Amino acid sequence: MLEVKNLDVAYGHAKVLHDVSFDIEKGQMAFFIGRNGAGKTTLLKTIMGLLKAQNGSITYQRNEISGISPEELYLQGMRYVGQEKKVFSNLTVRENIEIAAYASREPLDQALEKVTAIYPKLKSFLEMRAGQLSGGQRQILLVGRALVGDPKLLLIDEPTQGLAAVVIEEVGKILSGLKDRVSAVIVEQNLAIVKQLADRVYILKEGKVARGITEKSEISDTQKLEAYL
Ligand SMILES: Nc1ncnc2c1ncn2[C@@H]1O[C@H](COP(=O)(O)OP(=O)(O)O)[C@@H](O)[C@H]1O
Ligand SMILES: [Mg+2]
């Protein structure tokens, strides 16, 4: 459902992604791991149309999408959850969900139902300002909000970064509940989560795909993966 081919991306003259190719099939979760600065965030932003590639192609649901705006891709079911865990802090949790309902043209009650289904505790936070949520709750709100509308491909950047161990487990469970419902490309440094959820693992090293691992047994071999971080 997503095929990235020979992608080159640069910031000005600084080339960051070199000839990146990978693909995922419908319902799969692909994980990208790699050191800081490897280009993981740049890759997700490019797929979402937030950055322009110099070369290469991105095919989403059989269509070439280079040059298509993030807003249009959103309407086509693509969702980007950035690394910054940015919610609308001054708005309530309910209003944060309302914005997604409006943007995706989904009825509000249905949107609220969807988001709270993944984390029922959010029901008691609906009137709270999103800025008052803990980091974990904020992340869960962001993932929930990405499910509003008819999402087909989630692009999630380091969902468990900076979260406490119990919350990481919670986020892992939520992501696991999404398996088969949507396709996803997830950047994640927590190898326990990767092992638990990944259908494919891609290792990004200095802007290049150093390896693609599709064998479950190899994905389970944490030591092997650790060597790349
Ligand atoms: N807005 C930007 N302008 C210039 N260089 C950038 C910008 N964003 C990221 N970079 C550089 O691109 C490289 C890849 O960054 P990034 O995609 O954020 O890596 P990762 O997410 O793997 O840590 C890094 O060398 C980083 O310094
Ligand atoms: Mg990053």
Side-chain angles (χ1 to χ4, degrees):
M1 69 99 56
L2 178 76
E3 187 179 26
V4 170
K5 257 183 149 171
N6 309 114
L7 203 67
D8 292 330
V9 181
Y11 296 101
H13 291 298
K15 202 159 157 192
V16 169
L17 295 181
H18 310 266
D19 202 25
V20 168
S21 298
F22 77 95
D23 66 279
I24 62 169
E25 280 158 37
K26 196 172 166 199
Q28 279 192 329
M29 282 190 174
F31 280 73
F32 272 83
I33 64 175
R35 299 202 174 112
N36 276 340
K40 305 179 298 294
T41 297
T42 302
L43 176 61
L44 293 192
K45 284 185 175 170
T46 308
I47 297 169
M48 190 68 214
L50 296 162
L51 293 170
K52 204 171 160 336
Q54 286 184 313
N55 289 300
S57 68
I58 304 173
T59 311
Y60 170 62
Q61 295 185 304
R62 298 203 185 85
N63 296 314
E64 167 64 48
I65 56 164
S66 308
I68 295 184
S69 71
E71 293 75 18
E72 176 55 32
L73 291 171
Y74 179 90
L75 290 175
Q76 291 183 22
M78 206 185 275
R79 299 283 186 273
Y80 171 69
V81 180
Q83 205 170 352
E84 313 81 13
K85 310 197 192 338
K86 238 164 87 184
V87 293
F88 297 104
S89 311
N90 292 324
L91 302 183
T92 64
V93 171
R94 180 193 298 275
E95 287 164 342
N96 269 267
I97 298 167
E98 259 176 52
I99 290 172
Y102 180 77
S104 65
R105 297 158 197 176
E106 175 159 271
L108 178 59
D109 50 349
Q110 207 174 296
L112 286 167
E113 179 61 44
K114 244 186 212 170
V115 180
T116 53
I118 64 162
Y119 191 67
K121 276 186 207 155
L122 267 185
K123 279 186 196 156
S124 51
F125 298 144
L126 286 175
E127 309 314 328
M128 203 158 130
R129 275 174 194 245
Q132 288 175 296
L133 296 176
S134 71
Q137 291 162 347
R138 215 174 299 168
Q139 184 62 279
I140 290 166
L141 171 61
L142 289 168
V143 171
R145 208 171 61 176
L147 302 177
V148 174
D150 186 17
K152 300 211 163 51
L153 175 65
L154 306 179
L155 307 168
I156 312 181
D157 203 350
E158 308 221 19
T160 68
Q161 189 188 30
L163 304 184
V166 276
V167 192
I168 292 178
E169 212 170 294
E170 190 72 51
V171 171
K173 265 191 224 149
I174 289 170
L175 294 176
S176 161
L178 302 179
K179 245 179 123 66
D180 304 322
R181 246 174 88 184
V182 287
S183 312
V185 180
I186 303 174
V187 170
E188 180 58 71
Q189 309 285 28
N190 183 311
L191 295 182
I193 298 273
V194 175
K195 263 172 61 174
Q196 186 195 336
L197 298 173
D199 298 299
R200 300 180 173 197
V201 178
Y202 293 99
I203 293 145
L204 200 64
K205 197 175 172 188
E206 294 165 10
K208 298 187 184 117
V209 176
R211 278 202 65 194
I213 304 170
T214 51
E215 289 289 324
K216 263 288 177 202
S217 61
E218 253 189 283
I219 292 171
S220 313
D221 189 348
T222 314
Q223 276 185 333
K224 232 179 194 167
L225 296 183
E226 239 162 33
Y228 294 100
L229 294 177

